[in-house]
């Protein structure tokens, strides 16, 4: 028989999840065991035909500096070729990872043998990331899923081991929030977004 969890605590966990940005992190290191638990829970996301399309690369410690250099180098290469280089943006990409405890690159790996619509694989990865965010919230750890910067640059995807039909879906920044910081959230009423058909 399935164990019944405390439903009130479960509802509170979902409703209290927030995007907490790197500038709001305290600088305290998040225990690697929490990151491992986040990843383990990500692995239990729903996915069609058990393709498990999520792929993650975890950057921490000196790896954060490597990620910053990687991001700024890719951005510089691509933007200069397009004539859209911005020095301030490059410096942000170089330094932003250093504000986090961990940064997790989020990839979607296609399984062409299963011929599953790509939208379903993207949804599976998003579900895996939601599992990570909820796990982080349960531990009082902040997360922010960013999809700007180099996310949609082919050169970044290839450098992270993703192939032509795969997708880089952004980076999950993880850090301990500053003391006492956890923002309130708001949503419009659910009834505004639902129609019931009863017969």
């Amino acid at each position: 028989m399935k164990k019944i969890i405390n439903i009130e605590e479960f509802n509170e966990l979902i409703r209290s999840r927030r995007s907490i940005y790197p500038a709001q992190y305290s600088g305290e290191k998040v225990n690697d065991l929490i990151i491992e638990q986040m990843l383990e829970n990500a692995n239990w996301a729903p996915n069609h035909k058990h393709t498990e399309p999520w792929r993650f690369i975890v950057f921490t410690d000196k790896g954060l500096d490597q990620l910053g250099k990687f991001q700024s180098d890719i951005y510089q290469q691509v933007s200069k070729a397009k004539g859209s280089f911005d020095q301030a943006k490059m410096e942000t990409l170089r330094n932003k990872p250093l504000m986090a405890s961990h940064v997790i690159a989020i990839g979607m790996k296609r399984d062409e043998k299963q011929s599953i619509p790509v939208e379903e694989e993207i949804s599976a990865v998003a579900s895996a990331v939601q599992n990570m965010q909820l796990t982080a919230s349960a531990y009082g750890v902040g997360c922010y899923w960013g999809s700007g910067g180099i996310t949609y640059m082919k050169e970044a995807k290839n450098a992270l081991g993703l192939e032509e039909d795969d997708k880089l879906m952004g980076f999950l920044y993880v850090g301990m929030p500053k003391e006492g910081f956890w923002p309130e959230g708001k949503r419009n009423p659910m009834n505004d977004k639902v129609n019931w058909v009863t017969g």
Side-chain angles (χ1 to χ4, degrees):
M1 182 176 177
K2 184 184 179 306
K3 180 181 177 182
I4 303 300
I5 64 171
N6 184 311
I7 195 65
E8 290 182 4
E9 291 183 358
F10 177 75
N11 289 342
E12 174 62 22
L13 173 62
I14 290 175
R15 293 171 186 175
S16 65
R17 184 214 56 79
R18 296 287 174 271
S19 291
I20 299 181
Y21 302 95
Q24 298 159 341
Y25 299 158
S26 67
E28 179 185 350
K29 176 88 184 290
V30 175
N31 192 311
D32 285 344
L33 294 176
I34 294 176
I35 304 299
E36 290 172 8
Q37 187 66 69
M38 290 167 60
L39 294 164
E40 181 61 31
N41 289 349
N43 202 38
W44 288 93
N47 59 108
H48 192 184
K49 294 190 177 180
H50 299 283
T51 57
E52 301 178 19
W54 42 82
R55 297 294 184 272
F56 303 114
I57 302 173
V58 182
F59 298 88
T60 191
D61 299 324
K62 293 181 180 178
L64 295 168
D65 189 61
Q66 292 180 37
L67 174 60
K69 186 174 187 310
F70 167 74
Q71 288 194 129
S72 60
D73 287 352
I74 292 284
Y75 170 75
Q76 186 171 3
Q77 171 193 338
V78 173
S79 63
K80 283 190 173 178
K82 291 181 176 178
S84 59
F85 176 73
D86 182 316
Q87 180 71 29
K89 185 170 184 178
M90 187 191 75
E91 290 175 4
T92 296
L93 289 168
R94 179 69 180 89
N95 297 316
K96 189 175 178 182
L98 304 177
M99 303 170 73
S101 171
H102 297 71
V103 180
I104 304 172
I106 303 163
M108 185 276 290
K109 188 76 175 170
R110 285 291 274 154
D111 186 341
E112 294 295 348
K113 293 180 289 186
Q114 298 285 5
S115 66
I116 293 172
V118 67
E119 293 84 359
E120 294 188 20
E121 299 288 66
I122 291 170
S123 297
V125 175
S127 295
V129 175
Q130 172 78 338
N131 283 3
M132 286 199 287
Q133 292 174 312
L134 290 173
T135 305
S137 290
Y139 282 102
V141 170
C143 281
Y144 159 64
W145 183 0
S147 58
I150 64 169
T151 296
Y152 300 114
M153 295 178 180
K154 179 179 68 174
E155 293 82 356
K157 179 175 76 170
N158 294 344
L160 291 171
L162 296 167
E163 299 176 9
E164 185 66 27
D165 291 331
D166 304 333
K167 292 188 181 297
L168 177 59
M169 292 178 58
F171 299 85
L172 188 70
Y173 287 77
V174 183
M176 294 302 301
K178 292 176 180 176
E179 183 69 29
F181 181 85
W182 199 276
E184 292 292 326
K186 61 180 180 179
R187 290 290 188 274
N188 293 321
M190 191 63 203
N191 287 341
D192 293 349
K193 307 159 195 169
V194 178
N195 288 315
W196 289 66
V197 180
T198 59

